[in-house]
Amino acid sequence: MPIPLSIGHGVYSASTSAGTTTITVGSEQKGIDPVRLQYGAVDFERALAQAELERTEFAAFLEKHFCETSGIDCALQIVQRLVYGL
Amino acid sequence: MQLRLVPVVELEPTDLGVQNFVELLESGEWEVFWEAHLVSFGLRPIRPGSWFVATGEFASQATFNLLARVHLEWDPQSLDLPPELDHIGPISGGYAFVLGGSVQLEPGCCCDLSDLTNGARDVKATQCQFH
């Protein structure tokens, strides 16, 4: 059973079986069939881990410049909001 | 071919001073124009004509200033403080599916960088179900 997958798209779902991750992209328009993309499950998990790493690097970039530019003490809180929605 | 989920930031043309997006698109000049326009800010789109820029492109003070101006409506070079936390939301964008260097999918509208966590957890949970 595919489950909702929220990775910046909203109408995606993902399921994994027999070493394959299937991404299903549903359309919000009637009459348009969903698109299905398949990836190796290991490759997909590796891509997710790499994406997390790159997001962390981006957060560090933002925090560094917030601190250097404005000297504010709530830079981390701002970055958490900007990047992680916290 | 290697799959990548590339974190991307959405930059709308109007936010960068481009008012004639539709005209450029219809005349077939959009991709070349947009590439040059983004390069002038030290950035590149993830594919020709795309409004999405990989987070890795943001590496300089100038690109930080641009992002602050666009997303926070705050000029880091001014003496003003950034907006209060309650007035800040996640940066628009998301994750682009890139296979072998070719962009397969881009985020839809109303998406942001905070969306990855649920995805990672859900996929891993699904894998556990099948193991």
Side-chain angles (χ1 to χ4, degrees):
Chain A
M1 175 70 71
I3 55 171
L5 176 62
S6 176
I7 49 178
H9 304 271
V11 291
Y12 281 53
S13 65
S15 61
T16 298
S17 177
T20 299
T21 295
T22 301
I23 305 296
T24 303
V25 187
S27 173
E28 292 175 340
Q29 292 180 291
K30 288 183 178 177
I32 297 180
D33 292 333
V35 173
R36 288 189 176 80
L37 301 170
Q38 292 191 312
Y39 306 102
V42 173
D43 292 341
F44 192 77
E45 185 154 1
R46 186 185 297 126
L48 280 170
Q50 178 64 27
E52 181 64 67
L53 179 64
E54 291 180 28
R55 181 169 67 163
T56 301
E57 291 172 349
F58 182 58
F61 161 79
L62 291 176
E63 186 179 355
K64 171 180 178 285
H65 283 280
F66 269 115
C67 290
E68 288 180 358
T69 303
S70 61
I72 54 175
D73 57 9
C74 59
L76 180 59
Q77 288 175 291
I78 293 176
V79 172
Q80 293 275 323
R81 182 66 56 87
L82 290 172
V83 178
Y84 300 101
L86 300 176
Chain B
M1 288 188 287
Q2 186 186 18
L3 170 68
R4 293 187 65 213
L5 297 178
V6 179
V8 292
V9 169
E10 184 178 32
L11 292 174
E12 295 190 23
T14 51
D15 288 336
L16 301 188
V18 179
Q19 303 297 333
N20 56 342
F21 166 67
V22 175
E23 290 173 30
L24 290 165
L25 196 64
E26 289 177 348
S27 67
E29 300 170 272
W30 170 247
E31 291 183 2
V32 173
F33 171 85
W34 186 236
E35 179 99 20
H37 196 61
L38 284 182
V39 165
S40 73
F41 292 101
L43 300 169
R44 294 172 303 166
I46 58 167
R47 62 166 180 78
S50 175
W51 294 10
F52 295 103
V53 173
T55 56
E57 291 279 316
F58 294 85
S60 65
Q61 181 69 47
T63 54
F64 172 79
N65 292 348
L66 175 71
L67 196 59
R69 183 167 59 80
V70 168
H71 187 71
L72 300 176
E73 298 179 348
W74 170 61
D75 180 1
Q77 294 176 305
S78 72
L79 296 176
D80 298 336
L81 290 173
E84 292 182 16
L85 207 55
D86 289 346
H87 297 148
I88 296 175
I91 295 173
S92 297
Y95 297 85
F97 285 63
V98 180
L99 187 65
S102 176
V103 178
Q104 290 194 305
L105 294 168
E106 293 179 355
C109 63
C110 308
C111 302
D112 61 66
L113 288 169
S114 73
D115 294 330
L116 181 66
T117 309
N118 288 338
R121 187 182 63 233
D122 290 346
V123 170
K124 285 174 182 170
T126 308
Q127 286 175 326
C128 290
Q129 275 187 325
F130 285 93
H131 285 170

